[in-house]
Amino acid sequence: DIQMTQSPSSLSASVGDRVTITCRASQGIGYGLGWYQQKPGKAPKRLIYAASSLQGGVPSRFSGSGSGTEFTLTISSLQPEDFATYFCLQHNTSPYTFGQGTKLEIK
Amino acid sequence: QVQLVQSGAEVKKPGASVKVSCKASGYTITNYYMHWVRQAPGQGLEWTGIINPSDGSTIYAQKFHGRVTMTRDTSTSTFYMELSSLRSEDTAVYYCAREGQGTPGDYWGQGTLVTVSS
């Protein structure tokens, strides 16, 4: 199985900060990666698909980049509603695998 | 608008089976694969498998092989995920998630909590 190593596992930041979350795949997955945001008690919400395509309706402060084995999610200027947990998912090779998550907290 | 509405919470004893449903509306189900994902309490997300609603073909995570069955009923636009031989570690919220633009999860169900307890 492809292992997805997500870092950091937690992150404290302030409104207006720029933050970056990274996922590394144990083998190449091309552009087969999505990023998701999850708030407590809610279903995940897709932010990015195909590594860098912004999901419709998602603010442009979210962006994704990378290919192969290294991927990043960047939030350019944190807003209060962005404090949540973020996951990556590789869907290039079955079984699809998630990163362990990054909990983004208010500093 | 696209909606995925899942069945209600279940409490099961170890060794029993559970069948969770996911009723789709607002689109033609045969045009989009459906995934099932679970999340144990306080834990991360775990991919369980995928079904092609056009022909009913499935791919399951090896971890669940022999215990999970995913099906669909095109006449009612409903997907099902059945998990058998339940154990306490199967306690989790189970989500259905549609695949759009080649990536899982453009739409998600609200989740179904399955609790396995004696």
Side-chain angles (χ1 to χ4, degrees):
Chain A
D1 299 0
I2 295 175
Q3 307 303 316
M4 299 301 296
T5 302
Q6 187 172 341
S7 62
S9 56
S10 64
L11 176 59
S12 292
S14 301
V15 172
D17 283 355
R18 178 185 181 91
V19 301
T20 297
I21 299 168
T22 298
C23 268
R24 289 186 174 88
S26 60
Q27 63 190 77
I29 59 170
Y31 295 92
L33 186 110
W35 288 98
Y36 305 81
Q37 176 194 68
Q38 188 179 32
K39 296 183 178 179
K42 300 295 187 182
K45 172 186 174 181
R46 195 173 77 181
L47 304 173
I48 301 288
Y49 62 95
S52 61
S53 295
L54 188 68
Q55 177 72 30
V58 172
S60 59
R61 62 180 179 273
F62 292 92
S63 64
S65 64
S67 65
T69 60
E70 187 150 340
F71 301 85
T72 59
L73 173 71
T74 298
I75 310 172
S76 60
S77 178
L78 274 173
Q79 298 303 301
E81 60 269 27
D82 300 337
F83 292 94
T85 300
Y86 293 84
F87 295 93
C88 62
L89 168 68
Q90 74 80 17
H91 58 88
N92 181 75
T93 304
S94 176
Y96 298 172
T97 42
F98 286 90
Q100 60 267 54
T102 295
K103 187 172 184 179
L104 181 51
E105 298 175 308
I106 301 173
K107 185 183 286 184
Chain B
Q1 72 283 19
V2 173
Q3 281 194 301
L4 302 175
V5 179
Q6 297 185 221
S7 48
E10 302 262 13
V11 179
K12 296 291 183 181
K13 293 194 181 303
S17 297
V18 69
K19 192 170 186 177
V20 178
S21 68
C22 168
K23 184 170 176 60
S25 60
Y27 74 100
T28 303
I29 71 160
T30 50
N31 291 345
Y32 295 85
Y33 293 170
M34 187 66 75
H35 298 257
W36 288 89
V37 172
R38 76 177 188 180
Q39 186 170 37
Q43 302 301 308
L45 299 164
E46 183 175 32
W47 183 80
T48 304
I50 180 176
I51 181 168
N52 178 346
S54 289
D55 61 10
S57 60
T58 53
I59 300 173
Y60 303 136
Q62 181 68 33
K63 172 178 182 176
F64 301 100
H65 261 275
R67 290 206 302 138
V68 70
T69 304
M70 295 176 187
T71 56
R72 90 287 187 228
D73 182 340
T74 55
S75 68
T76 60
S77 298
T78 303
F79 295 86
Y80 300 93
M81 190 280 305
E82 184 169 20
L83 190 62
S84 62
S85 303
L86 289 168
R87 33 218 193 214
S88 59
E89 311 89 88
D90 295 318
T91 294
V93 176
Y94 290 76
Y95 294 102
C96 56
R98 195 185 80 162
E99 177 173 308
Q101 294 94 19
T103 302
D106 62 342
Y107 290 91
W108 294 71
Q110 82 276 20
T112 296
L113 175 61
V114 174
T115 302
V116 183
S117 174
S118 54

